mmCIF file of all heavy atoms in Angstrom:
data_model
loop_
_atom_site.group_PDB
_atom_site.id
_atom_site.type_symbol
_atom_site.label_atom_id
_atom_site.label_comp_id
_atom_site.label_asym_id
_atom_site.label_seq_id
_atom_site.Cartn_x
_atom_site.Cartn_y
_atom_site.Cartn_z
ATOM 1 N N PHE D 1 -2.850 -14.423 -23.524
ATOM 2 C CA PHE D 1 -3.469 -13.102 -23.636
ATOM 3 C C PHE D 1 -2.626 -12.207 -24.532
ATOM 4 O O PHE D 1 -1.407 -12.216 -24.458
ATOM 5 C CB PHE D 1 -3.620 -12.449 -22.258
ATOM 6 C CG PHE D 1 -4.675 -13.100 -21.427
ATOM 7 C CD1 PHE D 1 -4.336 -14.039 -20.477
ATOM 8 C CD2 PHE D 1 -6.011 -12.792 -21.619
ATOM 9 C CE1 PHE D 1 -5.309 -14.654 -19.716
ATOM 10 C CE2 PHE D 1 -6.992 -13.399 -20.860
ATOM 11 C CZ PHE D 1 -6.639 -14.338 -19.914
ATOM 12 N N ARG D 2 -3.314 -11.450 -25.375
ATOM 13 C CA ARG D 2 -2.640 -10.501 -26.247
ATOM 14 C C ARG D 2 -3.088 -9.097 -25.865
ATOM 15 O O ARG D 2 -4.239 -8.882 -25.505
ATOM 16 C CB ARG D 2 -2.957 -10.791 -27.718
ATOM 17 C CG ARG D 2 -2.490 -12.175 -28.159
ATOM 18 C CD ARG D 2 -0.972 -12.337 -27.958
ATOM 19 N NE ARG D 2 -0.501 -13.666 -28.305
ATOM 20 C CZ ARG D 2 -0.123 -14.582 -27.425
ATOM 21 N NH1 ARG D 2 -0.208 -14.348 -26.126
ATOM 22 N NH2 ARG D 2 0.324 -15.746 -27.817
ATOM 23 N N TYR D 3 -2.170 -8.188 -25.922
ATOM 24 C CA TYR D 3 -2.419 -6.846 -25.418
ATOM 25 C C TYR D 3 -1.527 -5.861 -26.154
ATOM 26 O O TYR D 3 -0.599 -6.238 -26.871
ATOM 27 C CB TYR D 3 -2.120 -6.782 -23.916
ATOM 28 C CG TYR D 3 -0.802 -7.433 -23.565
ATOM 29 C CD1 TYR D 3 0.394 -6.757 -23.744
ATOM 30 C CD2 TYR D 3 -0.754 -8.752 -23.101
ATOM 31 C CE1 TYR D 3 1.606 -7.370 -23.461
ATOM 32 C CE2 TYR D 3 0.448 -9.358 -22.816
ATOM 33 C CZ TYR D 3 1.621 -8.662 -22.997
ATOM 34 O OH TYR D 3 2.819 -9.274 -22.722
ATOM 35 N N ARG D 4 -1.822 -4.604 -25.972
ATOM 36 C CA ARG D 4 -0.948 -3.531 -26.407
ATOM 37 C C ARG D 4 -0.404 -2.895 -25.137
ATOM 38 O O ARG D 4 -1.004 -3.025 -24.076
ATOM 39 C CB ARG D 4 -1.744 -2.514 -27.226
ATOM 40 C CG ARG D 4 -2.274 -3.129 -28.515
ATOM 41 C CD ARG D 4 -3.199 -2.206 -29.285
ATOM 42 N NE ARG D 4 -2.560 -0.920 -29.551
ATOM 43 C CZ ARG D 4 -3.254 0.200 -29.709
ATOM 44 N NH1 ARG D 4 -4.569 0.203 -29.639
ATOM 45 N NH2 ARG D 4 -2.630 1.337 -29.946
ATOM 46 N N PHE D 5 0.728 -2.234 -25.244
ATOM 47 C CA PHE D 5 1.222 -1.604 -24.027
ATOM 48 C C PHE D 5 1.571 -0.139 -24.244
ATOM 49 O O PHE D 5 1.894 0.284 -25.339
ATOM 50 C CB PHE D 5 2.388 -2.352 -23.385
ATOM 51 C CG PHE D 5 3.443 -2.848 -24.329
ATOM 52 C CD1 PHE D 5 4.527 -2.086 -24.639
ATOM 53 C CD2 PHE D 5 3.327 -4.111 -24.883
ATOM 54 C CE1 PHE D 5 5.496 -2.552 -25.495
ATOM 55 C CE2 PHE D 5 4.294 -4.590 -25.741
ATOM 56 C CZ PHE D 5 5.384 -3.807 -26.051
ATOM 57 N N HIS D 6 1.366 0.639 -23.168
ATOM 58 C CA HIS D 6 1.666 2.071 -23.132
ATOM 59 C C HIS D 6 0.957 2.820 -24.263
ATOM 60 O O HIS D 6 1.580 3.573 -25.006
ATOM 61 C CB HIS D 6 3.173 2.320 -23.154
ATOM 62 C CG HIS D 6 3.899 1.564 -22.092
ATOM 63 N ND1 HIS D 6 3.755 1.860 -20.753
ATOM 64 C CD2 HIS D 6 4.737 0.503 -22.163
ATOM 65 C CE1 HIS D 6 4.500 1.019 -20.053
ATOM 66 N NE2 HIS D 6 5.092 0.186 -20.869
ATOM 67 N N VAL D 7 -0.342 2.627 -24.364
ATOM 68 C CA VAL D 7 -1.137 3.275 -25.410
ATOM 69 C C VAL D 7 -1.306 4.750 -25.034
ATOM 70 O O VAL D 7 -2.014 5.083 -24.075
ATOM 71 C CB VAL D 7 -2.498 2.571 -25.577
ATOM 72 C CG1 VAL D 7 -3.358 3.300 -26.589
ATOM 73 C CG2 VAL D 7 -2.284 1.124 -25.988
ATOM 74 N N SER D 8 -0.673 5.615 -25.801
ATOM 75 C CA SER D 8 -0.650 7.038 -25.452
ATOM 76 C C SER D 8 -1.989 7.736 -25.684
ATOM 77 O O SER D 8 -2.211 8.822 -25.154
ATOM 78 C CB SER D 8 0.455 7.759 -26.223
ATOM 79 O OG SER D 8 0.242 7.632 -27.611
ATOM 80 N N SER D 9 -2.893 7.129 -26.445
ATOM 81 C CA SER D 9 -4.189 7.765 -26.691
ATOM 82 C C SER D 9 -5.152 7.581 -25.513
ATOM 83 O O SER D 9 -6.198 8.221 -25.478
ATOM 84 C CB SER D 9 -4.825 7.212 -27.970
ATOM 85 O OG SER D 9 -5.038 5.821 -27.845
ATOM 86 N N LEU D 10 -4.807 6.733 -24.558
ATOM 87 C CA LEU D 10 -5.640 6.528 -23.369
ATOM 88 C C LEU D 10 -5.079 7.327 -22.194
ATOM 89 O O LEU D 10 -3.860 7.479 -22.068
ATOM 90 C CB LEU D 10 -5.696 5.045 -22.991
ATOM 91 C CG LEU D 10 -6.485 4.152 -23.930
ATOM 92 C CD1 LEU D 10 -6.332 2.693 -23.516
ATOM 93 C CD2 LEU D 10 -7.943 4.541 -23.934
ATOM 94 N N PRO D 11 -5.952 7.809 -21.310
ATOM 95 C CA PRO D 11 -5.473 8.542 -20.134
ATOM 96 C C PRO D 11 -4.516 7.693 -19.304
ATOM 97 O O PRO D 11 -4.770 6.519 -19.054
ATOM 98 C CB PRO D 11 -6.756 8.820 -19.341
ATOM 99 C CG PRO D 11 -7.855 8.745 -20.331
ATOM 100 C CD PRO D 11 -7.411 7.738 -21.367
ATOM 101 N N GLY D 12 -3.393 8.279 -18.913
ATOM 102 C CA GLY D 12 -2.439 7.601 -18.053
ATOM 103 C C GLY D 12 -1.532 6.614 -18.752
ATOM 104 O O GLY D 12 -0.703 5.982 -18.107
ATOM 105 N N LYS D 13 -1.642 6.438 -20.058
ATOM 106 C CA LYS D 13 -0.841 5.468 -20.818
ATOM 107 C C LYS D 13 -0.740 4.138 -20.066
ATOM 108 O O LYS D 13 0.318 3.798 -19.527
ATOM 109 C CB LYS D 13 0.556 5.990 -21.102
ATOM 110 C CG LYS D 13 0.608 7.099 -22.114
ATOM 111 C CD LYS D 13 2.014 7.296 -22.609
ATOM 112 C CE LYS D 13 2.474 8.674 -22.244
ATOM 113 N NZ LYS D 13 3.852 8.929 -22.618
ATOM 114 N N PRO D 14 -1.832 3.382 -19.965
ATOM 115 C CA PRO D 14 -1.826 2.140 -19.181
ATOM 116 C C PRO D 14 -0.701 1.196 -19.602
ATOM 117 O O PRO D 14 -0.322 1.142 -20.771
ATOM 118 C CB PRO D 14 -3.188 1.517 -19.499
ATOM 119 C CG PRO D 14 -4.018 2.637 -20.014
ATOM 120 C CD PRO D 14 -3.085 3.603 -20.658
ATOM 121 N N ASP D 15 -0.192 0.440 -18.621
ATOM 122 C CA ASP D 15 0.892 -0.503 -18.890
ATOM 123 C C ASP D 15 0.457 -1.570 -19.884
ATOM 124 O O ASP D 15 1.204 -1.903 -20.802
ATOM 125 C CB ASP D 15 1.367 -1.149 -17.591
ATOM 126 C CG ASP D 15 1.955 -0.115 -16.632
ATOM 127 O OD1 ASP D 15 2.634 0.810 -17.097
ATOM 128 O OD2 ASP D 15 1.712 -0.242 -15.419
ATOM 129 N N LEU D 16 -0.731 -2.127 -19.684
ATOM 130 C CA LEU D 16 -1.264 -3.138 -20.609
ATOM 131 C C LEU D 16 -2.688 -2.759 -20.990
ATOM 132 O O LEU D 16 -3.489 -2.403 -20.127
ATOM 133 C CB LEU D 16 -1.285 -4.525 -19.961
ATOM 134 C CG LEU D 16 0.050 -5.102 -19.519
ATOM 135 C CD1 LEU D 16 -0.154 -6.435 -18.826
ATOM 136 C CD2 LEU D 16 0.985 -5.263 -20.685
ATOM 137 N N VAL D 17 -2.996 -2.873 -22.271
ATOM 138 C CA VAL D 17 -4.336 -2.575 -22.773
ATOM 139 C C VAL D 17 -4.842 -3.815 -23.497
ATOM 140 O O VAL D 17 -4.180 -4.333 -24.396
ATOM 141 C CB VAL D 17 -4.323 -1.360 -23.732
ATOM 142 C CG1 VAL D 17 -5.707 -1.096 -24.284
ATOM 143 C CG2 VAL D 17 -3.775 -0.134 -23.030
ATOM 144 N N PHE D 18 -6.012 -4.288 -23.066
ATOM 145 C CA PHE D 18 -6.655 -5.451 -23.674
ATOM 146 C C PHE D 18 -7.866 -4.949 -24.464
ATOM 147 O O PHE D 18 -8.979 -4.915 -23.935
ATOM 148 C CB PHE D 18 -7.104 -6.438 -22.591
ATOM 149 C CG PHE D 18 -5.981 -6.940 -21.732
ATOM 150 C CD1 PHE D 18 -5.606 -6.263 -20.579
ATOM 151 C CD2 PHE D 18 -5.294 -8.091 -22.068
ATOM 152 C CE1 PHE D 18 -4.577 -6.718 -19.776
ATOM 153 C CE2 PHE D 18 -4.258 -8.564 -21.278
ATOM 154 C CZ PHE D 18 -3.892 -7.877 -20.132
ATOM 155 N N PRO D 19 -7.671 -4.543 -25.737
ATOM 156 C CA PRO D 19 -8.778 -3.964 -26.505
ATOM 157 C C PRO D 19 -9.967 -4.913 -26.625
ATOM 158 O O PRO D 19 -11.124 -4.469 -26.595
ATOM 159 C CB PRO D 19 -8.172 -3.686 -27.879
ATOM 160 C CG PRO D 19 -6.699 -3.671 -27.673
ATOM 161 C CD PRO D 19 -6.433 -4.582 -26.506
ATOM 162 N N ARG D 20 -9.701 -6.205 -26.754
ATOM 163 C CA ARG D 20 -10.771 -7.199 -26.900
ATOM 164 C C ARG D 20 -11.747 -7.153 -25.721
ATOM 165 O O ARG D 20 -12.945 -7.369 -25.879
ATOM 166 C CB ARG D 20 -10.139 -8.584 -27.020
ATOM 167 C CG ARG D 20 -11.108 -9.708 -27.080
ATOM 168 C CD ARG D 20 -10.381 -11.018 -27.197
ATOM 169 N NE ARG D 20 -11.315 -12.125 -27.176
ATOM 170 C CZ ARG D 20 -10.966 -13.372 -27.143
ATOM 171 N NH1 ARG D 20 -9.699 -13.704 -27.137
ATOM 172 N NH2 ARG D 20 -11.872 -14.318 -27.113
ATOM 173 N N TYR D 21 -11.230 -6.882 -24.535
ATOM 174 C CA TYR D 21 -12.045 -6.862 -23.325
ATOM 175 C C TYR D 21 -12.385 -5.434 -22.877
ATOM 176 O O TYR D 21 -13.080 -5.252 -21.882
ATOM 177 C CB TYR D 21 -11.306 -7.557 -22.175
ATOM 178 C CG TYR D 21 -10.943 -8.985 -22.483
ATOM 179 C CD1 TYR D 21 -9.667 -9.320 -22.927
ATOM 180 C CD2 TYR D 21 -11.871 -10.005 -22.323
ATOM 181 C CE1 TYR D 21 -9.322 -10.629 -23.209
ATOM 182 C CE2 TYR D 21 -11.537 -11.324 -22.598
ATOM 183 C CZ TYR D 21 -10.258 -11.629 -23.049
ATOM 184 O OH TYR D 21 -9.933 -12.927 -23.323
ATOM 185 N N LYS D 22 -11.848 -4.445 -23.575
ATOM 186 C CA LYS D 22 -11.947 -3.033 -23.181
ATOM 187 C C LYS D 22 -11.511 -2.881 -21.718
ATOM 188 O O LYS D 22 -12.220 -2.347 -20.877
ATOM 189 C CB LYS D 22 -13.341 -2.468 -23.404
ATOM 190 C CG LYS D 22 -13.307 -0.948 -23.442
ATOM 191 C CD LYS D 22 -14.422 -0.323 -24.206
ATOM 192 C CE LYS D 22 -14.124 1.171 -24.266
ATOM 193 N NZ LYS D 22 -15.192 1.942 -24.770
ATOM 194 N N ALA D 23 -10.304 -3.390 -21.472
ATOM 195 C CA ALA D 23 -9.750 -3.398 -20.115
ATOM 196 C C ALA D 23 -8.300 -2.913 -20.152
ATOM 197 O O ALA D 23 -7.591 -3.122 -21.144
ATOM 198 C CB ALA D 23 -9.811 -4.805 -19.534
ATOM 199 N N VAL D 24 -7.895 -2.262 -19.067
ATOM 200 C CA VAL D 24 -6.511 -1.812 -18.925
ATOM 201 C C VAL D 24 -5.958 -2.300 -17.590
ATOM 202 O O VAL D 24 -6.709 -2.514 -16.642
ATOM 203 C CB VAL D 24 -6.384 -0.272 -19.015
ATOM 204 C CG1 VAL D 24 -6.856 0.237 -20.351
ATOM 205 C CG2 VAL D 24 -7.119 0.417 -17.885
ATOM 206 N N LEU D 25 -4.642 -2.467 -17.557
ATOM 207 C CA LEU D 25 -3.980 -2.949 -16.352
ATOM 208 C C LEU D 25 -2.783 -2.048 -16.072
ATOM 209 O O LEU D 25 -2.011 -1.741 -16.986
ATOM 210 C CB LEU D 25 -3.533 -4.394 -16.573
ATOM 211 C CG LEU D 25 -2.955 -5.127 -15.389
ATOM 212 C CD1 LEU D 25 -3.393 -6.581 -15.434
ATOM 213 C CD2 LEU D 25 -1.457 -5.042 -15.382
ATOM 214 N N PHE D 26 -2.680 -1.608 -14.832
ATOM 215 C CA PHE D 26 -1.528 -0.823 -14.389
ATOM 216 C C PHE D 26 -0.736 -1.673 -13.403
ATOM 217 O O PHE D 26 -1.316 -2.274 -12.499
ATOM 218 C CB PHE D 26 -1.971 0.451 -13.667
ATOM 219 C CG PHE D 26 -2.599 1.483 -14.552
ATOM 220 C CD1 PHE D 26 -3.972 1.537 -14.706
ATOM 221 C CD2 PHE D 26 -1.817 2.410 -15.221
ATOM 222 C CE1 PHE D 26 -4.564 2.500 -15.512
ATOM 223 C CE2 PHE D 26 -2.400 3.377 -16.025
ATOM 224 C CZ PHE D 26 -3.765 3.423 -16.174
ATOM 225 N N VAL D 27 0.581 -1.723 -13.571
ATOM 226 C CA VAL D 27 1.459 -2.365 -12.593
ATOM 227 C C VAL D 27 2.042 -1.220 -11.764
ATOM 228 O O VAL D 27 2.821 -0.411 -12.269
ATOM 229 C CB VAL D 27 2.568 -3.184 -13.272
ATOM 230 C CG1 VAL D 27 3.453 -3.839 -12.225
ATOM 231 C CG2 VAL D 27 1.965 -4.234 -14.208
ATOM 232 N N GLN D 28 1.625 -1.146 -10.494
ATOM 233 C CA GLN D 28 1.945 -0.003 -9.639
ATOM 234 C C GLN D 28 3.035 -0.347 -8.629
ATOM 235 O O GLN D 28 2.972 -1.390 -7.990
ATOM 236 C CB GLN D 28 0.704 0.432 -8.843
ATOM 237 C CG GLN D 28 -0.492 0.762 -9.692
ATOM 238 C CD GLN D 28 -0.445 2.166 -10.265
ATOM 239 O OE1 GLN D 28 0.557 2.566 -10.838
ATOM 240 N NE2 GLN D 28 -1.521 2.892 -10.124
ATOM 241 N N GLY D 29 3.978 0.544 -8.467
ATOM 242 C CA GLY D 29 4.974 0.430 -7.409
ATOM 243 C C GLY D 29 4.351 0.874 -6.092
ATOM 244 O O GLY D 29 3.722 1.925 -6.029
ATOM 245 N N CYS D 30 4.520 0.080 -5.066
ATOM 246 C CA CYS D 30 3.885 0.381 -3.773
ATOM 247 C C CYS D 30 4.367 1.707 -3.189
ATOM 248 O O CYS D 30 3.573 2.443 -2.610
ATOM 249 C CB CYS D 30 4.123 -0.760 -2.792
ATOM 250 S SG CYS D 30 3.324 -2.295 -3.296
ATOM 251 N N PHE D 31 5.641 2.034 -3.344
ATOM 252 C CA PHE D 31 6.148 3.289 -2.805
ATOM 253 C C PHE D 31 5.620 4.483 -3.582
ATOM 254 O O PHE D 31 5.063 5.416 -3.017
ATOM 255 C CB PHE D 31 7.684 3.315 -2.808
ATOM 256 C CG PHE D 31 8.240 4.656 -2.404
ATOM 257 C CD1 PHE D 31 8.199 5.053 -1.078
ATOM 258 C CD2 PHE D 31 8.772 5.514 -3.350
ATOM 259 C CE1 PHE D 31 8.693 6.301 -0.702
ATOM 260 C CE2 PHE D 31 9.262 6.758 -2.978
ATOM 261 C CZ PHE D 31 9.226 7.156 -1.657
ATOM 262 N N TRP D 32 5.762 4.471 -4.873
ATOM 263 C CA TRP D 32 5.417 5.636 -5.686
ATOM 264 C C TRP D 32 3.919 5.918 -5.726
ATOM 265 O O TRP D 32 3.496 7.033 -6.004
ATOM 266 C CB TRP D 32 5.937 5.467 -7.115
ATOM 267 C CG TRP D 32 7.425 5.446 -7.161
ATOM 268 C CD1 TRP D 32 8.224 4.344 -7.326
ATOM 269 C CD2 TRP D 32 8.315 6.551 -7.003
ATOM 270 N NE1 TRP D 32 9.549 4.708 -7.279
ATOM 271 C CE2 TRP D 32 9.630 6.063 -7.088
ATOM 272 C CE3 TRP D 32 8.111 7.908 -6.796
ATOM 273 C CZ2 TRP D 32 10.738 6.886 -6.975
ATOM 274 C CZ3 TRP D 32 9.235 8.727 -6.696
ATOM 275 C CH2 TRP D 32 10.522 8.219 -6.783
ATOM 276 N N HIS D 33 3.106 4.900 -5.473
ATOM 277 C CA HIS D 33 1.651 5.067 -5.589
ATOM 278 C C HIS D 33 0.936 4.873 -4.257
ATOM 279 O O HIS D 33 -0.276 4.699 -4.231
ATOM 280 C CB HIS D 33 1.104 4.135 -6.671
ATOM 281 C CG HIS D 33 1.712 4.430 -8.006
ATOM 282 N ND1 HIS D 33 1.223 5.392 -8.839
ATOM 283 C CD2 HIS D 33 2.797 3.907 -8.628
ATOM 284 C CE1 HIS D 33 1.969 5.445 -9.936
ATOM 285 N NE2 HIS D 33 2.937 4.560 -9.822
ATOM 286 N N GLN D 34 1.676 4.875 -3.158
ATOM 287 C CA GLN D 34 1.144 4.880 -1.787
ATOM 288 C C GLN D 34 0.194 3.722 -1.502
ATOM 289 O O GLN D 34 -0.913 3.910 -1.024
ATOM 290 C CB GLN D 34 0.449 6.226 -1.507
ATOM 291 C CG GLN D 34 0.147 6.455 -0.064
ATOM 292 C CD GLN D 34 -0.588 7.769 0.170
ATOM 293 O OE1 GLN D 34 -0.758 8.582 -0.715
ATOM 294 N NE2 GLN D 34 -1.031 7.957 1.387
ATOM 295 N N HIS D 35 0.651 2.513 -1.775
ATOM 296 C CA HIS D 35 -0.145 1.342 -1.420
ATOM 297 C C HIS D 35 0.033 1.075 0.067
ATOM 298 O O HIS D 35 1.144 1.117 0.586
ATOM 299 C CB HIS D 35 0.329 0.134 -2.228
ATOM 300 C CG HIS D 35 -0.535 -1.066 -2.060
ATOM 301 N ND1 HIS D 35 -0.022 -2.300 -1.828
ATOM 302 C CD2 HIS D 35 -1.880 -1.217 -2.104
ATOM 303 C CE1 HIS D 35 -1.008 -3.176 -1.737
ATOM 304 N NE2 HIS D 35 -2.142 -2.539 -1.892
ATOM 305 N N GLN D 36 -1.048 0.817 0.752
ATOM 306 C CA GLN D 36 -0.985 0.591 2.199
ATOM 307 C C GLN D 36 -0.604 -0.863 2.481
ATOM 308 O O GLN D 36 -1.441 -1.682 2.832
ATOM 309 C CB GLN D 36 -2.313 0.964 2.851
ATOM 310 C CG GLN D 36 -2.671 2.421 2.671
ATOM 311 C CD GLN D 36 -1.575 3.367 3.174
ATOM 312 O OE1 GLN D 36 -1.087 3.230 4.286
ATOM 313 N NE2 GLN D 36 -1.181 4.318 2.352
ATOM 314 N N CYS D 37 0.661 -1.146 2.300
ATOM 315 C CA CYS D 37 1.185 -2.497 2.540
ATOM 316 C C CYS D 37 2.538 -2.371 3.233
ATOM 317 O O CYS D 37 3.010 -1.263 3.493
ATOM 318 C CB CYS D 37 1.312 -3.263 1.219
ATOM 319 S SG CYS D 37 2.630 -2.648 0.144
ATOM 320 N N ALA D 38 3.162 -3.502 3.491
ATOM 321 C CA ALA D 38 4.447 -3.504 4.196
ATOM 322 C C ALA D 38 5.567 -2.866 3.369
ATOM 323 O O ALA D 38 6.574 -2.426 3.932
ATOM 324 C CB ALA D 38 4.829 -4.940 4.553
ATOM 325 N N MET D 39 5.407 -2.772 2.055
ATOM 326 C CA MET D 39 6.459 -2.208 1.212
ATOM 327 C C MET D 39 6.426 -0.678 1.165
ATOM 328 O O MET D 39 7.359 -0.060 0.662
ATOM 329 C CB MET D 39 6.360 -2.774 -0.206
ATOM 330 C CG MET D 39 6.687 -4.244 -0.277
ATOM 331 S SD MET D 39 6.619 -4.886 -1.944
ATOM 332 C CE MET D 39 8.158 -4.293 -2.589
ATOM 333 N N PHE D 40 5.349 -0.074 1.678
ATOM 334 C CA PHE D 40 5.266 1.387 1.648
ATOM 335 C C PHE D 40 5.604 1.965 3.014
ATOM 336 O O PHE D 40 5.144 1.486 4.043
ATOM 337 C CB PHE D 40 3.858 1.857 1.259
ATOM 338 C CG PHE D 40 3.720 3.349 1.315
ATOM 339 C CD1 PHE D 40 4.270 4.142 0.326
ATOM 340 C CD2 PHE D 40 3.102 3.965 2.383
ATOM 341 C CE1 PHE D 40 4.183 5.527 0.385
ATOM 342 C CE2 PHE D 40 3.005 5.352 2.457
ATOM 343 C CZ PHE D 40 3.541 6.132 1.458
ATOM 344 N N HIS D 41 6.415 2.992 2.998
ATOM 345 C CA HIS D 41 6.704 3.761 4.212
ATOM 346 C C HIS D 41 7.014 5.188 3.787
ATOM 347 O O HIS D 41 7.540 5.429 2.696
ATOM 348 C CB HIS D 41 7.878 3.157 4.986
ATOM 349 C CG HIS D 41 9.169 3.206 4.224
ATOM 350 N ND1 HIS D 41 9.483 2.287 3.247
ATOM 351 C CD2 HIS D 41 10.200 4.079 4.257
ATOM 352 C CE1 HIS D 41 10.667 2.591 2.726
ATOM 353 N NE2 HIS D 41 11.125 3.673 3.318
ATOM 354 N N TRP D 42 6.662 6.127 4.636
ATOM 355 C CA TRP D 42 6.962 7.527 4.354
ATOM 356 C C TRP D 42 8.444 7.770 4.615
ATOM 357 O O TRP D 42 8.954 7.388 5.660
ATOM 358 C CB TRP D 42 6.124 8.458 5.225
ATOM 359 C CG TRP D 42 4.686 8.473 4.843
ATOM 360 C CD1 TRP D 42 3.655 7.891 5.504
ATOM 361 C CD2 TRP D 42 4.117 9.105 3.691
ATOM 362 N NE1 TRP D 42 2.466 8.117 4.833
ATOM 363 C CE2 TRP D 42 2.730 8.866 3.710
ATOM 364 C CE3 TRP D 42 4.634 9.841 2.635
ATOM 365 C CZ2 TRP D 42 1.863 9.330 2.730
ATOM 366 C CZ3 TRP D 42 3.776 10.317 1.654
ATOM 367 C CH2 TRP D 42 2.420 10.067 1.711
ATOM 368 N N PRO D 43 9.137 8.406 3.676
ATOM 369 C CA PRO D 43 10.555 8.727 3.903
ATOM 370 C C PRO D 43 10.720 9.661 5.105
ATOM 371 O O PRO D 43 9.859 10.492 5.378
ATOM 372 C CB PRO D 43 10.971 9.435 2.606
ATOM 373 C CG PRO D 43 9.989 8.987 1.594
ATOM 374 C CD PRO D 43 8.698 8.776 2.326
ATOM 375 N N LYS D 44 11.822 9.520 5.804
ATOM 376 C CA LYS D 44 12.078 10.338 6.980
ATOM 377 C C LYS D 44 12.755 11.661 6.615
ATOM 378 O O LYS D 44 12.619 12.644 7.329
ATOM 379 C CB LYS D 44 12.925 9.549 7.971
ATOM 380 C CG LYS D 44 12.143 8.403 8.598
ATOM 381 C CD LYS D 44 12.980 7.676 9.624
ATOM 382 C CE LYS D 44 12.215 6.618 10.371
ATOM 383 N NZ LYS D 44 11.579 5.594 9.612
ATOM 384 N N THR D 45 13.505 11.678 5.511
ATOM 385 C CA THR D 45 14.145 12.919 5.083
ATOM 386 C C THR D 45 13.265 13.606 4.049
ATOM 387 O O THR D 45 12.574 12.939 3.267
ATOM 388 C CB THR D 45 15.536 12.656 4.476
ATOM 389 O OG1 THR D 45 15.401 11.790 3.361
ATOM 390 C CG2 THR D 45 16.463 12.035 5.500
ATOM 391 N N ARG D 46 13.255 14.923 4.074
ATOM 392 C CA ARG D 46 12.431 15.738 3.165
ATOM 393 C C ARG D 46 10.986 15.253 3.179
ATOM 394 O O ARG D 46 10.339 15.120 2.147
ATOM 395 C CB ARG D 46 13.000 15.701 1.746
ATOM 396 C CG ARG D 46 14.409 16.264 1.651
ATOM 397 C CD ARG D 46 14.908 16.361 0.253
ATOM 398 N NE ARG D 46 14.104 17.331 -0.490
ATOM 399 C CZ ARG D 46 14.002 17.330 -1.820
ATOM 400 N NH1 ARG D 46 14.642 16.434 -2.532
ATOM 401 N NH2 ARG D 46 13.265 18.233 -2.425
ATOM 402 N N ALA D 47 10.504 14.989 4.368
ATOM 403 C CA ALA D 47 9.179 14.389 4.549
ATOM 404 C C ALA D 47 8.073 15.206 3.891
ATOM 405 O O ALA D 47 7.172 14.638 3.250
ATOM 406 C CB ALA D 47 8.886 14.204 6.037
#
């Protein structure tokens, strides 16, 4: 697969852009983006 990355002309500057398919892919950190999985937990300090 060939792609461009961090295309600033698209909203959110997607991590990977596949122009051929008109598709974008974001690689999200579970903590920073609040994924409901075992890797996410609310911090106890400065909650």
Side-chain angles (χ1 to χ4, degrees):
F1 289 98
R2 299 301 177 253
Y3 47 80
R4 296 174 54 207
F5 43 91
H6 307 292
V7 176
S8 60
S9 61
L10 289 174
K13 289 195 242 177
D15 297 322
L16 299 177
V17 178
F18 301 89
R20 176 180 177 186
Y21 302 98
K22 199 155 186 190
V24 299
L25 186 143
F26 290 94
V27 180
Q28 304 278 50
C30 295
F31 173 74
W32 295 104
H33 300 275
Q34 193 182 352
H35 187 227
Q36 299 305 310
C37 70
M39 292 182 78
F40 176 75
H41 64 280
W42 289 106
K44 290 183 174 57
T45 59
R46 299 186 65 203

